[in-house]
Amino acid sequence: MNAPTYDDILIDRDGAVLTLTINRPEAGNKFRHQTCLELVDALQRFRLDRDLRAAVLTGTGDKFFCIGGEHDPVTSLDQSQVLPVIDVYQALDTIPKPIVAAVNGFAVGGGNVLHTVCDLTIASENAVFRQVGPMVGSFDAGYGSWYLEDTIGRKRAKEMWYLNRKYTAAQALDMGLVNEVVAPGEALTRAVEVAREITTRSPLAIGAMKGAFSARHNGVSGQARMAHDQQLSLYLQTQEAHEVGAAFGERREPKSESFWA
């Protein structure tokens, strides 16, 4: 994958697994405009690279996974003022390849949303999970509420948002917020192992399942991932599709014996 040089993220390719690392440790690996744009670009390149089958998302260091976003002072209401993190969430959620979060420390605010939107989460024992919006004058009433409710249940999700408590990795595992907890410093290694294990599965089947999970909230977008990206792509390889297309171009009736072939 011939990716450009990024300022806020690091990329590492190991066989069929791509690792994306938010590289702003001095800022708690917060995402800013630049970070979001770079993540979206890297994720779309990941989607289009046939040799890459799974990805891992993490943060630099052993203290912070990501502690949310940096919002510049709002000077107008145009789209240039909007932090493009929803584009990141949409990419994580809809790209038909699995993405595993390796939570190596604090996952707070948008960082908690970030790992929740990923397909699986491997957490270090020293990881801490928290939603702080109402304490700091912010909120996430989209992915941060819907997907969190899906993941840990309505009451727990409201508890996280209303009371803004800190949760340990063990508590996160108990409530279903993460899939595994490993020793400090081992989250990335284990996440890569899990991602590599998934690469041994059928990519079409995994893509179809991810589209199905995504469709529950994304509606036509999730359905289109299966109907257009998969079913149509396969259909276009059939004799039936070729014959119907040729018949149209030649202004004749298609040969029905090509149907279902």
Side-chain angles (χ1 to χ4, degrees):
M1 182 174 61
N2 298 317
T5 300
Y6 297 120
D7 294 322
D8 287 9
I9 67 173
L10 303 173
I11 59 173
D12 178 70
R13 182 174 185 149
D14 183 6
V17 177
L18 179 72
T19 298
L20 301 169
T21 305
I22 300 175
N23 188 35
R24 303 190 69 224
E26 75 289 347
N29 291 326
K30 285 184 177 181
F31 47 77
R32 56 180 177 173
H33 273 76
Q34 184 68 23
T35 319
C36 294
L37 295 175
E38 291 179 6
L39 282 171
V40 169
D41 182 76
L43 286 166
Q44 292 303 331
R45 290 171 181 271
F46 163 65
R47 180 179 70 84
L48 295 172
D49 192 323
R50 64 180 301 171
D51 295 325
L52 290 172
R53 301 271 300 281
V56 172
L57 177 64
T58 192
T60 293
D62 57 6
K63 186 175 182 181
F64 302 109
F65 169 71
C66 173
I67 59 171
E70 291 182 355
H71 293 267
D72 295 329
V74 176
T75 58
S76 67
L77 297 179
D78 67 278
Q79 284 296 305
S80 69
Q81 301 287 294
V82 177
L83 186 68
V85 69
I86 302 303
D87 298 317
V88 178
Y89 296 155
Q90 286 180 327
L92 292 171
D93 187 40
T94 61
I95 288 174
K97 298 180 181 182
I99 300 168
V100 182
V103 179
N104 49 310
F106 282 84
V108 179
N112 188 56
V113 180
L114 201 62
H115 89 86
T116 301
V117 176
C118 290
D119 297 285
L120 300 174
T121 296
I122 308 300
S124 171
E125 288 177 354
N126 65 306
V128 176
F129 302 85
R130 192 180 191 187
Q131 288 299 161
V132 295
M135 292 181 68
V136 299
S138 183
F139 61 87
D140 184 334
Y143 285 95
S145 56
W146 284 35
Y147 278 46
L148 188 64
E149 179 182 351
D150 268 3
T151 303
I152 63 175
R154 187 176 183 83
K155 296 294 186 179
R156 280 292 195 184
K158 287 187 175 184
E159 176 185 307
M160 287 195 77
W161 274 106
Y162 295 176
L163 300 179
N164 314 120
R165 294 170 177 167
K166 296 179 182 179
Y167 298 87
T168 65
Q171 289 173 316
L173 180 65
D174 184 61
M175 70 173 73
L177 187 59
V178 305
N179 298 93
E180 291 184 32
V181 175
V182 296
E186 297 297 321
L188 178 56
T189 299
R190 178 57 182 150
V192 171
E193 289 176 352
V194 170
R196 185 166 290 115
E197 181 178 354
I198 299 175
T199 66
T200 67
R201 307 313 196 250
S202 162
L204 280 174
I206 292 292
M209 288 309 305
K210 184 159 183 179
F213 284 119
S214 174
R216 182 165 184 265
H217 287 316
N218 290 300
V220 67
S221 173
Q223 180 174 323
R225 286 293 172 190
M226 291 186 285
H228 179 274
D229 292 3
Q230 290 200 350
Q231 291 175 320
L232 180 59
S233 296
L234 293 172
Y235 169 71
L236 292 175
Q237 304 304 311
T238 66
Q239 293 180 28
E240 176 179 331
H242 292 167
E243 169 59 18
V244 172
F248 178 81
E250 297 166 8
R251 299 185 178 182
R252 60 174 174 82
E253 290 288 325
K255 300 174 183 178
S256 60
E257 59 266 27
S258 71
F259 294 172
W260 312 111

